[in-house]
Structures are given as structure tokens and as C-alpha cells.
Amino acid sequence: MIELSKAEFEVLDALWLSYPATASQIIERLSDEKQWHEKTIKTLLGRLVKKGALSFEKDGRQYIYTPCMERAEYTLKESQNFIERFFSGRIAPLVSGFAKSEQLSQQDINELKKVIDDWEKQQK
Amino acid sequence: MIELSKAEFEVLDALWLSYPATASQIIERLSDEKQWHEKTIKTLLGRLVKKGALSFEKDGRQYIYTPCMERAEYTLKESQNFIERFFSGRIAPLVSGFAKSEQLSQQDINELKKVIDDWEKQQK
DNA sequence: AAGTTAAGATTACACCTGTAATCATTTTTT
DNA sequence: AAAAAATGATTACAGGTGTAATCTTAACTT
């Protein structure tokens, strides 16, 4: 699995919003939430390319970046990894921890029920 | 939140199995799964103490370590953090990602149902 | 009591990370 | 055409991380 740092992920996430995109578009998107210097983002883009998380094409003097994988694919792998490390691969204990500490809303419960419902329909 | 590295967490996890415990007990417990040098584990114990994740008492020339927090408390915080970063704080999309990629077993589903059930009983 | 261990403390060192600044080069402006 | 600006490339640098080796000292052996 490609290992991304927090900051790298945030840059990739800004690209996932819509791609392909240029560095300046990505910088623009990130400008609201983060106070990163433009140079910082460029560095992170370079590291993402080096790690194989992004590819790019040249367009004049600019690069046009595209993610090498989908967000869902990446977050699934990260999730599996996380659940393996902290909960021996079982997902229920994670949810249960949230429930016990009153972190679940009725909406979360409804959404979870729907996921279970869909899963069961899928099975039959 | 105390930030622990992967390796640090694994050492703490070995202590959570049963504590208080000495360094050599922890080293013994880890010897099956990891091929870490004893010195490596000592280093990690030191870093855990420095980060405030462990406390210790002296007993002759040994230290007897105790975690400063419970496992459930730590994993809950890590989980919240994780879900915030990757799923904007919503838990269902994580579970849904697992479902879509066929990572859920009937047992997982049963466990999840039970969590939901318990939550609902709690509410009324 | 002297020598040997074994515990923790200190030091090591390369790679990763956050966070840019500077350099080189190519476009734009003027 | 010369100057200015904007791009990506290279360099920087401190703190974290994995993975120990070496140093110091207190405790156990003989």
C-alpha cells in the first residue's frame, strides 16, 4: 500500500474533488482550510508523484495532475489497515466504542441500518 | 491527544494485555510477533514514558510500567480522529465501504446489529 | 570485595514529515 | 528585447520514527 502522510493526503483529497487539475487549482482549493504556503503544496505534490499517488502531464510549463487511484479505494485500504491495527480486523468493536461513548446519532444509526439492509439484500 | 507511532502503540498494546509489567515481561510478550531487538523495545518504552503514555515505579533496578490510559479510551480517540480525517466524521461511510468491497462477514453483520440494538435500548 | 551482569540512559543514524526558501528556466509583460 | 513573474526542481532544516549500539551504574555472583 502506498503510505501517505497526513499533509499529503489532504493535498490528494483536494485533487479528488475534481481532476485533472493544475497545481494552482489545487492551491486555490486548499487556501480556505489550510494556511499552507504555495511552496509547501508544491513540495507535497512532488512527494505524491514520487510515491506514485499522482501522475501528471505537461501542458506548457504547467503540470496537470491526476490521482492514480480512487478515493474510495484508498480509504478502504486505510480503513482495513486501521481496523486491523486497533481492533484485530473486526469492525463491530469500533462501532461499539462509538456507541458506548455516545458518539452515535440517530442519523448514524439509520445509515448503519441501511448499510446492513443493503448487505442482506445483496446476500440473498 | 497523545500521538503515538505505530511501534509505540504495539509496545503499549503488549502492556495493556496485563499490567503493571516490567520491561522484560513486555519484551517476552512481543517476542512472538515481532523480531525487535530488546534495545528497540526499551527505546520505545522510554519514548512512551516521555510522551506521558506510561508511568513507572522503580523496583530495585527495574521499572514497573503502567499505562496512563485505557485501551478503549485510546482507540476511541484514534477512531474519532480517523473517521474525521477520512469520512468527515461519519461512521456509516466507513462501514459501507467495507460492505461494498465484500469485507463484511455474517458475523460482522450480527455484531453490528447487536450494537444497534443495544444503542436503541439505551435510548428509550 | 571484586567481577560480571543486566537495567535503564544516552547516543546514533538514516528516512519521513511539515514547512518552506532558493534556484533555474520558461513565459508573460512592458 | 529586457524585465518580471510564474513553474517546477532542488535544497533546507528541525523534529519524529524505526532500529539499534554503547555507556553508566546498580545489583547479583562467586
Side-chain angles (χ1 to χ4, degrees):
Chain A
M1 188 176 62
I2 297 182
E3 296 266 358
L4 304 182
S5 77
K6 278 187 181 192
E8 285 158 4
F9 174 78
E10 293 191 64
V11 170
L12 179 51
D13 215 13
L15 178 57
W16 270 321
L17 287 178
S18 160
Y19 56 86
T22 63
S24 29
Q25 289 174 318
I26 296 170
I27 290 166
E28 173 58 28
R29 286 175 203 168
L30 287 166
S31 68
D32 298 335
E33 354 219 329
K34 315 295 293 183
Q35 14 286 310
W36 280 335
H37 195 283
E38 163 224 356
K39 300 295 188 185
T40 299
I41 297 173
K42 295 265 180 86
T43 297
L44 293 169
L45 283 170
R47 290 180 185 171
L48 284 164
V49 168
K50 193 169 170 194
K51 288 186 177 185
L54 299 185
S55 65
F56 63 87
E57 278 182 33
K58 287 199 179 178
D59 173 36
R61 70 169 150 176
Q62 293 191 126
Y63 287 178
I64 301 189
Y65 297 94
T66 307
C68 292
M69 53 192 158
E70 287 177 28
R71 191 180 197 284
E73 184 192 340
Y74 180 77
T75 57
L76 177 63
K77 280 182 191 158
E78 280 297 318
S79 300
Q80 290 176 222
N81 206 285
F82 180 86
I83 289 181
E84 186 60 42
R85 293 196 323 113
F86 292 104
F87 301 102
S88 311
R90 316 300 326 266
I91 198 170
L94 186 161
V95 182
S96 167
F98 269 61
K100 279 190 191 123
S101 61
E102 282 146 49
Q103 309 277 314
L104 293 186
S105 65
Q106 182 66 56
Q107 190 188 342
D108 290 320
I109 293 290
N110 293 343
E111 290 170 1
L112 287 171
K113 278 180 174 174
K114 178 145 183 1
V115 172
I116 290 174
D117 247 42
D118 292 348
W119 185 89
E120 291 186 326
K121 277 181 198 145
Q122 197 63 34
Q123 290 315 103
K124 76 157 171 38
Chain B
M1 188 174 64
I2 297 182
E3 296 266 358
L4 304 182
S5 77
K6 278 186 180 192
E8 284 160 4
F9 173 78
E10 293 191 64
V11 171
L12 179 50
D13 214 14
L15 178 57
W16 269 321
L17 287 179
S18 159
Y19 55 84
T22 63
S24 29
Q25 289 174 319
I26 295 170
I27 290 166
E28 173 58 27
R29 286 175 202 169
L30 286 167
S31 68
D32 298 334
E33 356 221 327
K34 314 294 292 183
Q35 12 286 311
W36 280 333
H37 195 285
E38 162 223 355
K39 299 296 187 185
T40 300
I41 297 174
K42 296 265 180 86
T43 296
L44 293 169
L45 283 170
R47 289 181 185 170
L48 283 163
V49 168
K50 193 169 170 193
K51 288 187 177 186
L54 299 185
S55 64
F56 62 87
E57 278 183 34
K58 288 198 181 181
D59 173 36
R61 67 172 151 176
Q62 295 191 124
Y63 287 177
I64 301 189
Y65 297 94
T66 307
C68 292
M69 55 192 157
E70 286 177 28
R71 192 181 196 284
E73 183 191 342
Y74 179 76
T75 58
L76 177 63
K77 280 182 191 159
E78 280 297 317
S79 300
Q80 290 175 222
N81 206 285
F82 180 86
I83 289 181
E84 185 60 42
R85 293 197 321 115
F86 292 103
F87 301 101
S88 310
R90 315 304 324 267
I91 198 171
L94 186 160
V95 181
S96 168
F98 269 61
K100 278 189 191 124
S101 62
E102 282 146 49
Q103 311 277 313
L104 293 186
S105 66
Q106 182 66 55
Q107 190 188 342
D108 290 321
I109 293 291
N110 292 343
E111 290 171 1
L112 287 171
K113 278 180 171 173
K114 179 148 185 355
V115 172
I116 290 174
D117 246 43
D118 292 348
W119 186 89
E120 291 186 326
K121 277 181 197 144
Q122 197 64 34
Q123 290 314 102
K124 74 155 175 38

